[in-house]
Amino acid sequence: MSQSGTQIATVRNYIAGLPGWGTGDIVIEPAIPVLASPSWRGVDGAPWRATRNGSGESIFIKSMDVDAKLYIDVACAFEAARRASDLGIGPKVLAADPDAGLLVMEDLNRGWRVGTLERMLEPRIVDAVIAARRLFQAGAPLPRRMGVFDEIEHFYEAAKAAKAQLPSDAEWLVKELRFAADAFGKLDIKPVPIHGDGNVSNILISDTGEVRLIDWDRATTADPLEDLGSFLVEAFAQEPEAREAFSRNAGGFDERAFSRARIYGVADDLRWGLIGAVLAARSARNTFEFYKFASWRFVRCRMTVREPRFGEMLRRIA
């Protein structure tokens, strides 16, 4: 049996234990195309849709890939997804089994679309995304407590151990962000639970403008501005638009907080570059363009770190 056939059998056996899904004619098929580049979509776990013939009722199943153990705390990710479900800011979770690596959710298919950069031009959508993140942050700490600077160190060591292909200035980039981490360590920061991944494809938007956050695989307990920074760097190519969104949702402009969020965005680029490099070296899925994705994140990180304004941002966080 092929790998996909094995996954379908595993999913079918698992959902058979859910109320109403143990009998009848059920079709299981891929829910979305899996893309590592240009957008990290469906990479962490195979996305399946189970549909009941006749009624058309469907559910969405995320089956974590074996690669997940390289960079994801699955139990924490599933816990975060459950919390988001309870808060109404994520799809309703119907079942979660970290040991089996299976997360079953309502299928937000008809009437919903994946977020795009074009939709980030709409202030009401951006504000709804930031409000959802802020609501999640009001909860109890998550068991995972690794922030982006910790992850940079972790994945840099993992990349070297895997003999992953890295840009020639990788060590310099890590040292620059290490300098930033030292500066942040002197601040009085209250960690909160965060989504941790600003990729706009992790946003579902309904035809009526509702938003749901998905893919909680980077969820952790960290600085709330880390969450905002990872979103701003993904949603806005230019600083003025990011500044406007920040000011609108902060009730005014705070240069120190904005600089902090911006540096977190730079750190997020380096983290994802390293994750992509590790997977390019270690994943059996060698048809996925992991290093192409990594290269873009390294480029964007490098562009900002090389600017004189990077040092100015660091001076302004105090």
Side-chain angles (χ1 to χ4, degrees):
M1 185 180 292
S2 67
Q3 182 178 357
S4 62
T6 301
Q7 284 192 346
I8 290 174
T10 299
V11 168
R12 187 180 298 278
N13 289 337
Y14 187 80
I15 66 173
L18 299 178
W21 288 88
T23 59
D25 186 8
I26 297 170
V27 175
I28 300 174
E29 57 189 353
I32 57 173
V34 177
L35 299 170
S37 178
S39 177
W40 194 273
R41 188 179 181 206
V43 173
D44 310 313
W48 300 100
R49 174 173 290 117
T51 306
R52 192 194 312 279
N53 278 338
S55 69
E57 181 184 1
S58 62
I59 52 178
F60 186 97
I61 304 98
K62 181 175 181 177
S63 176
M64 302 302 290
D65 192 88
V66 65
D67 288 341
K69 67 179 183 294
L70 298 176
Y71 65 109
I72 295 171
D73 182 330
V74 175
C76 184
F78 283 15
E79 166 65 17
R82 277 195 178 279
R83 291 192 192 185
S85 168
D86 294 341
L87 291 168
I89 59 171
K92 184 178 179 181
V93 172
L94 305 176
D97 187 338
D99 293 332
L102 291 169
L103 182 65
V104 184
M105 296 168 282
E106 65 174 322
D107 186 21
L108 297 181
N109 185 23
R110 297 182 181 89
W112 292 82
R113 296 289 184 273
V114 174
T116 61
L117 291 176
E118 183 180 9
R119 297 304 302 271
M120 298 305 106
L121 299 176
E122 302 174 42
R124 69 187 183 96
I125 298 297
V126 170
D127 294 352
V129 171
I130 293 175
R133 291 175 179 275
R134 186 178 295 123
L135 181 60
F136 185 78
Q137 293 166 7
L142 287 166
R144 185 169 179 266
R145 293 175 175 268
M146 182 174 275
V148 65
F149 296 121
D150 301 313
E151 289 207 310
I152 287 172
E153 298 294 342
H154 172 76
F155 291 121
Y156 184 49
E157 291 304 316
K160 290 191 294 182
K163 294 182 170 53
Q165 181 180 350
L166 293 172
S168 59
D169 60 354
E171 184 177 2
W172 174 75
L173 289 172
V174 170
K175 286 181 177 179
E176 289 296 302
L177 270 299
R178 195 174 287 156
F179 181 73
D182 290 341
F184 277 55
K186 299 172 185 176
L187 303 177
D188 183 17
I189 295 172
K190 181 182 178 182
V192 298
I194 65 171
H195 179 280
D197 188 347
N199 191 333
V200 298
S201 67
N202 290 337
I203 305 165
L204 296 180
I205 306 171
S206 76
D207 292 344
T208 59
E210 292 182 83
V211 303
R212 297 290 185 272
L213 303 182
I214 59 173
D215 287 347
W216 294 82
D217 302 307
R218 300 250 61 75
T220 188
T221 301
D223 188 343
L225 286 174
E226 178 179 327
D227 209 24
L228 183 57
S230 71
F231 173 62
L232 293 179
V233 75
E234 286 289 282
F236 303 107
Q238 304 297 326
E239 182 179 324
E241 289 80 1
R243 186 181 291 262
E244 180 183 346
F246 180 92
S247 299
R248 194 170 60 245
N249 285 277
F253 189 71
D254 181 335
E255 186 71 52
R256 291 176 298 178
F258 181 67
S259 294
R260 206 161 101 209
R262 289 262 292 162
I263 293 170
Y264 276 130
V266 178
D268 186 58
D269 275 333
L270 182 54
R271 165 177 53 191
W272 274 109
L274 293 168
I275 290 174
V278 169
L279 289 181
R282 297 192 59 181
S283 176
R285 297 178 291 174
N286 54 17
T287 59
F288 283 24
E289 296 178 311
F290 291 123
Y291 199 75
K292 181 180 176 183
F293 175 82
S295 295
W296 161 238
R297 300 304 291 258
F298 284 135
V299 165
R300 195 165 63 181
C301 175
R302 182 183 302 114
M303 287 169 59
T304 306
V305 173
R306 286 190 180 278
E307 285 188 14
R309 289 190 301 168
F310 181 70
E312 184 62 28
M313 280 191 289
L314 274 177
R315 286 190 290 273
R316 288 178 176 177
I317 67 168

